[in-house]
Amino acid sequence: MYALGSEPLLITGGYSREVQFRDAVRGDIRRKLALPEKTFGHVNRLAVSNVSGDALQLAVAGNPDIAVYPVEGTDESQEPLVTYRSHKGNVTAVGYEARDRWLYTGSEDGTIRVWDLRTQGCTHCHENEGTFVRNAVFSVDIHPNQVELIAGDSQGRVLVWDLVANKVRRTLIPEEGVPVRSVRASPDGRVLVCANHNGKCYVYHLEDDSFYPLQKIDAHSAYVLSVAFCPEGKQFATTSADSTTRLWKWVTEGFGQTFTLTGHSKWVWDSVFTSDGQYLATGSSDCSCRIWETRTGVPRVVVQGFTAGVTAIALIDAV
């Protein structure tokens, strides 16, 4: 059983119906969690609750349900604490509000939902209407103000949904018709990064609520699959279908590339920084995870032995 406060814990999901909990330093499997066959063909996203303590929870986004489990446990076939059902397609985004009062999700069914963790019911639902059908939602992030959600969709739009007013108050279009694969607000609330299927990243000024475009980055030669910020907000990582991960750091007038991380042989789906920003974990379709030193770009740990591609990862290294 994993004990909070010991070695860093790498949590992975992918094209198999299981979640693995591994020692992030040695790669040893600490625990496996079998997922319900009827609602989990694969794992799309993982999110760990924010409030430290013995009751940390893991939200697992599949197709079409979201199941929540305790991080600690020994039973491989453990039943979820709660399962959220309403989406009708792949759940592509999941995350917790800062005080763990509610959970947000986004789906290819064209909806974004907010779930009350106390009542376990859906309190808000935005239907992302298109010309004839709802547009698929590929990514959702919570604004640092904790009362707005920012989402990217299949038609190249970035939506800012005000939960208090229950309406979309702003729409950005980085590239017309080019799907936005990942949206991330920096933890310090300064910038928003939107990444798309053309391998581009668009950086917007978030701090003064202007959403003024700051920078366009030719980040990759193929789809950008995810964007992840380090906790202090001055550096972010992009992962791509070109099998690489790239690190970007704030300089005088924008973000500049510091390293291209090579080693994965297939699509790199997800990444996450350690709490001190010194390391980055990545997960790939090549059935491996790697942990890189962000100061040098050198891989420090290669975690292998997965039976299927890794599409979602989470990391616990500070509680």
Side-chain angles (χ1 to χ4, degrees):
M1 182 175 72
Y2 174 69
L4 295 178
S6 61
E7 296 296 337
L9 186 68
L10 179 67
I11 309 173
T12 66
Y15 289 120
S16 61
R17 286 192 301 273
E18 69 174 15
V19 171
Q20 292 190 12
F21 298 74
R22 289 179 177 246
D23 184 313
V25 176
R26 293 181 291 273
D28 302 336
I29 297 176
R30 295 294 185 86
R31 176 191 175 199
K32 289 185 179 181
L33 184 63
L35 300 173
E37 183 174 352
K38 291 183 179 180
T39 56
F40 279 90
H42 58 274
V43 176
N44 293 312
R45 300 294 297 173
L46 298 171
V48 177
S49 57
N50 296 300
V51 179
S52 299
D54 294 332
L56 282 177
Q57 296 181 358
L58 175 71
V60 184
N63 182 9
D65 294 347
I66 307 98
V68 177
Y69 296 88
V71 168
E72 287 202 271
T74 58
D75 187 357
E76 182 173 329
S77 59
Q78 181 173 2
E79 291 296 316
L81 298 171
V82 59
T83 300
Y84 296 103
R85 296 185 172 99
S86 281
H87 286 300
K88 305 301 181 184
N90 269 315
V91 180
T92 53
V94 62
Y96 285 89
E97 179 261 348
R99 294 168 58 189
D100 294 336
R101 294 174 299 180
W102 45 270
L103 187 78
Y104 62 87
T105 57
S107 171
E108 290 180 355
D109 68 7
T111 65
I112 308 166
R113 294 179 180 272
V114 173
W115 310 85
D116 187 298
L117 297 187
R118 182 179 60 84
T119 65
Q120 301 179 357
C122 179
T123 61
H124 296 70
C125 178
H126 172 69
E127 296 185 354
N128 190 29
E129 298 294 348
T131 304
F132 300 107
V133 296
R134 290 197 295 259
N135 295 323
V137 174
F138 289 152
S139 180
V140 182
D141 195 21
I142 190 169
H143 192 293
N145 64 22
Q146 301 296 302
V147 295
E148 292 178 316
L149 294 176
I150 304 171
D153 76 8
S154 60
Q155 298 304 302
R157 301 183 306 168
V158 177
L159 313 173
V160 182
W161 180 23
D162 184 330
L163 298 177
V164 176
N166 195 20
K167 68 177 183 179
V168 173
R169 69 174 182 88
R170 190 183 295 266
T171 301
L172 309 173
I173 305 177
E175 285 187 65
E176 184 77 44
V178 180
V180 176
R181 185 74 194 194
S182 185
V183 293
R184 287 294 176 267
S186 62
D188 59 8
R190 292 177 60 252
V191 298
L192 170 72
V193 177
C194 308
N196 71 17
H197 275 204
N198 278 350
K200 306 292 193 298
C201 287
Y202 291 83
V203 184
Y204 294 89
H205 198 276
L206 191 61
E207 191 171 23
D208 63 357
D209 199 45
S210 68
F211 289 89
Y212 182 81
L214 290 175
Q215 188 179 7
K216 174 185 174 182
I217 302 172
D218 292 324
H220 291 271
S221 61
Y223 302 160
V224 179
L225 299 175
S226 73
V227 175
F229 267 98
C230 69
E232 50 87 29
K234 301 297 189 296
Q235 184 174 212
F236 69 87
T238 55
T239 68
S240 174
D242 68 10
S243 304
T244 70
T245 300
R246 291 184 175 172
L247 296 178
W248 310 86
K249 192 171 184 178
W250 181 261
V251 288
T252 306
E253 297 181 352
F255 287 95
Q257 183 181 334
T258 56
F259 297 104
T260 298
L261 309 181
T262 59
H264 287 298
S265 60
K266 296 183 179 180
W267 290 22
V268 186
W269 285 97
D270 202 5
S271 70
V272 60
F273 283 90
T274 55
S275 59
D276 60 7
Q278 298 300 305
Y279 297 92
L280 178 80
T282 56
S284 170
S285 291
D286 66 8
C287 303
S288 77
C289 291
R290 291 172 181 259
I291 297 178
W292 315 78
E293 187 178 78
T294 59
R295 183 177 59 86
T296 63
V298 173
R300 292 303 184 189
V301 179
V302 179
V303 183
Q304 298 177 316
F306 297 97
T307 59
V310 178
T311 57
I313 58 176
L315 186 67
I316 301 174
D317 69 327
V319 294

